[in-house]
Short mmCIF file of all heavy atoms in Angstrom, two decimals:
data_model
loop_
_atom_site.label_atom_id
_atom_site.label_comp_id
_atom_site.label_asym_id
_atom_site.label_seq_id
_atom_site.Cartn_x
_atom_site.Cartn_y
_atom_site.Cartn_z
N ALA A 49 253.12 198.93 78.43
CA ALA A 49 252.86 198.64 77.07
C ALA A 49 251.33 198.36 76.89
O ALA A 49 250.75 198.81 75.87
CB ALA A 49 253.67 197.51 76.53
N ILE A 50 250.62 197.70 77.84
CA ILE A 50 249.27 197.48 77.72
C ILE A 50 248.49 198.78 77.82
O ILE A 50 247.65 198.95 77.01
CB ILE A 50 248.84 196.53 78.83
CG1 ILE A 50 249.45 195.09 78.64
CG2 ILE A 50 247.30 196.39 78.80
CD1 ILE A 50 249.22 194.15 79.78
N VAL A 51 248.82 199.63 78.74
CA VAL A 51 248.18 200.90 78.92
C VAL A 51 248.39 201.77 77.66
O VAL A 51 247.46 202.34 77.15
CB VAL A 51 248.65 201.55 80.19
CG1 VAL A 51 248.10 203.09 80.25
CG2 VAL A 51 248.35 200.80 81.37
N ASP A 52 249.56 201.84 77.20
CA ASP A 52 249.85 202.64 76.00
C ASP A 52 249.19 202.06 74.67
O ASP A 52 248.85 202.80 73.86
CB ASP A 52 251.33 202.77 75.78
CG ASP A 52 252.05 203.62 76.73
OD1 ASP A 52 251.32 204.42 77.43
OD2 ASP A 52 253.26 203.61 76.82
N ALA A 53 248.98 200.76 74.64
CA ALA A 53 248.30 200.19 73.56
C ALA A 53 246.83 200.65 73.54
O ALA A 53 246.27 201.11 72.50
CB ALA A 53 248.28 198.64 73.60
N ILE A 54 246.18 200.69 74.69
CA ILE A 54 244.81 201.26 74.81
C ILE A 54 244.88 202.74 74.44
O ILE A 54 243.90 203.18 73.80
CB ILE A 54 244.28 200.97 76.20
CG1 ILE A 54 244.22 199.49 76.48
CG2 ILE A 54 242.88 201.57 76.38
CD1 ILE A 54 243.85 199.13 77.96
N ARG A 55 245.84 203.48 74.94
CA ARG A 55 245.90 204.89 74.68
C ARG A 55 245.94 205.14 73.20
O ARG A 55 245.24 206.02 72.62
CB ARG A 55 247.12 205.50 75.32
CG ARG A 55 247.13 205.58 76.80
CD ARG A 55 248.38 206.23 77.27
NE ARG A 55 248.63 207.56 76.83
CZ ARG A 55 249.73 208.26 76.95
NH1 ARG A 55 250.77 207.80 77.52
NH2 ARG A 55 249.80 209.54 76.47
N LEU A 56 246.81 204.45 72.48
CA LEU A 56 246.92 204.63 71.08
C LEU A 56 245.65 204.29 70.26
O LEU A 56 245.20 204.97 69.42
CB LEU A 56 248.15 203.85 70.49
CG LEU A 56 249.52 204.27 70.91
CD1 LEU A 56 250.59 203.31 70.46
CD2 LEU A 56 249.80 205.69 70.27
N CYS A 57 245.14 203.08 70.63
CA CYS A 57 243.98 202.57 69.85
C CYS A 57 242.74 203.53 70.04
O CYS A 57 241.99 203.72 69.12
CB CYS A 57 243.65 201.19 70.26
SG CYS A 57 242.50 200.28 69.23
N LEU A 58 242.55 204.04 71.30
CA LEU A 58 241.38 204.79 71.58
C LEU A 58 241.60 206.30 71.55
O LEU A 58 240.61 207.06 71.87
CB LEU A 58 240.77 204.37 72.97
CG LEU A 58 240.38 202.90 73.05
CD1 LEU A 58 239.72 202.69 74.50
CD2 LEU A 58 239.43 202.50 72.01
N LEU A 59 242.74 206.76 71.21
CA LEU A 59 243.13 208.17 71.12
C LEU A 59 242.77 208.91 72.44
O LEU A 59 241.97 209.87 72.40
CB LEU A 59 242.37 208.84 69.95
CG LEU A 59 242.72 208.27 68.51
CD1 LEU A 59 241.87 208.99 67.52
CD2 LEU A 59 244.17 208.46 68.25
N THR A 60 243.16 208.36 73.56
CA THR A 60 242.78 208.94 74.82
C THR A 60 243.37 210.38 74.95
O THR A 60 244.43 210.65 74.48
CB THR A 60 243.36 208.07 75.99
OG1 THR A 60 244.78 207.93 75.85
CG2 THR A 60 242.66 206.70 75.96
N THR A 61 242.67 211.16 75.62
CA THR A 61 243.12 212.52 75.83
C THR A 61 244.04 212.52 77.07
O THR A 61 243.89 211.80 78.02
CB THR A 61 241.91 213.46 76.26
OG1 THR A 61 241.20 212.94 77.38
CG2 THR A 61 240.92 213.53 75.07
N ALA A 62 245.07 213.39 76.97
CA ALA A 62 246.05 213.46 78.00
C ALA A 62 246.84 214.76 77.87
O ALA A 62 246.75 215.49 76.84
CB ALA A 62 247.10 212.28 77.93
N ALA A 63 247.54 215.16 78.96
CA ALA A 63 248.27 216.42 78.86
C ALA A 63 249.44 216.39 77.94
O ALA A 63 249.80 217.47 77.39
CB ALA A 63 248.77 216.77 80.33
N ASP A 64 250.04 215.21 77.71
CA ASP A 64 251.12 215.17 76.87
C ASP A 64 250.73 214.46 75.49
O ASP A 64 249.77 213.66 75.44
CB ASP A 64 252.30 214.32 77.48
CG ASP A 64 251.85 212.95 77.92
OD1 ASP A 64 250.61 212.72 78.05
OD2 ASP A 64 252.71 212.01 78.05
N PHE A 65 251.43 214.74 74.45
CA PHE A 65 251.15 214.16 73.13
C PHE A 65 252.01 212.96 72.89
O PHE A 65 253.24 212.94 73.07
CB PHE A 65 251.42 215.24 71.99
CG PHE A 65 251.24 214.71 70.62
CD1 PHE A 65 250.00 214.41 70.16
CD2 PHE A 65 252.35 214.39 69.85
CE1 PHE A 65 249.79 213.91 68.84
CE2 PHE A 65 252.14 213.92 68.57
CZ PHE A 65 250.91 213.67 68.05
N TYR A 66 251.41 211.90 72.48
CA TYR A 66 252.17 210.64 72.33
C TYR A 66 252.26 210.40 70.81
O TYR A 66 251.34 210.30 70.08
CB TYR A 66 251.38 209.45 72.94
CG TYR A 66 252.17 208.15 72.92
CD1 TYR A 66 253.00 207.78 73.99
CD2 TYR A 66 252.09 207.28 71.87
CE1 TYR A 66 253.63 206.63 73.99
CE2 TYR A 66 252.79 206.14 71.79
CZ TYR A 66 253.62 205.81 72.86
OH TYR A 66 254.31 204.63 72.83
N ARG A 67 253.52 210.23 70.39
CA ARG A 67 253.81 210.01 68.95
C ARG A 67 254.45 208.59 68.77
O ARG A 67 255.32 208.20 69.54
CB ARG A 67 254.80 211.08 68.40
CG ARG A 67 255.19 210.83 66.93
CD ARG A 67 256.19 211.85 66.54
NE ARG A 67 255.76 213.17 66.68
CZ ARG A 67 255.15 213.88 65.72
NH1 ARG A 67 254.86 213.32 64.60
NH2 ARG A 67 254.74 215.09 65.89
N ILE A 68 253.95 207.89 67.75
CA ILE A 68 254.47 206.58 67.47
C ILE A 68 255.90 206.67 66.94
O ILE A 68 256.10 207.44 66.02
CB ILE A 68 253.58 205.69 66.62
CG1 ILE A 68 252.25 205.49 67.30
CG2 ILE A 68 254.20 204.37 66.22
CD1 ILE A 68 251.22 204.85 66.38
N THR A 69 256.85 205.94 67.42
CA THR A 69 258.19 205.90 66.88
C THR A 69 258.67 204.54 66.58
O THR A 69 257.88 203.52 66.78
CB THR A 69 259.22 206.57 67.84
OG1 THR A 69 259.29 205.77 68.99
CG2 THR A 69 258.75 207.95 68.26
N LYS A 70 259.89 204.39 65.98
CA LYS A 70 260.43 203.10 65.70
C LYS A 70 260.50 202.18 66.93
O LYS A 70 260.33 200.97 66.72
CB LYS A 70 261.80 203.28 65.10
CG LYS A 70 262.42 201.95 64.62
CD LYS A 70 263.85 202.25 63.96
CE LYS A 70 264.82 202.73 65.06
NZ LYS A 70 266.16 202.88 64.46
N ASP A 71 260.73 202.72 68.06
CA ASP A 71 260.91 201.88 69.26
C ASP A 71 259.52 201.18 69.64
O ASP A 71 259.51 200.26 70.44
CB ASP A 71 261.32 202.75 70.43
CG ASP A 71 262.77 203.27 70.24
OD1 ASP A 71 263.49 202.61 69.53
OD2 ASP A 71 263.06 204.35 70.80
N ASP A 72 258.43 201.61 69.12
CA ASP A 72 257.22 200.95 69.41
C ASP A 72 256.97 199.63 68.62
O ASP A 72 256.11 198.90 68.96
CB ASP A 72 256.00 201.88 69.14
CG ASP A 72 255.86 203.10 70.06
OD1 ASP A 72 256.13 202.78 71.29
OD2 ASP A 72 255.68 204.19 69.69
N PHE A 73 257.80 199.45 67.55
CA PHE A 73 257.76 198.27 66.77
C PHE A 73 258.62 197.12 67.40
O PHE A 73 259.78 197.46 67.74
CB PHE A 73 258.16 198.54 65.35
CG PHE A 73 257.21 199.47 64.60
CD1 PHE A 73 257.34 200.84 64.82
CD2 PHE A 73 256.33 199.00 63.74
CE1 PHE A 73 256.50 201.73 64.11
CE2 PHE A 73 255.47 199.88 63.11
CZ PHE A 73 255.57 201.16 63.27
#
Side-chain angles (χ1 to χ4, degrees):
I50 295 173
V51 174
D52 286 344
I54 299 172
R55 291 180 61 190
L56 288 172
C57 193
L58 300 183
L59 299 177
T60 56
T61 58
D64 57 338
F65 176 73
Y66 188 92
R67 181 187 296 275
I68 297 175
T69 66
K70 182 178 68 174
D71 293 334
D72 292 317
F73 294 81

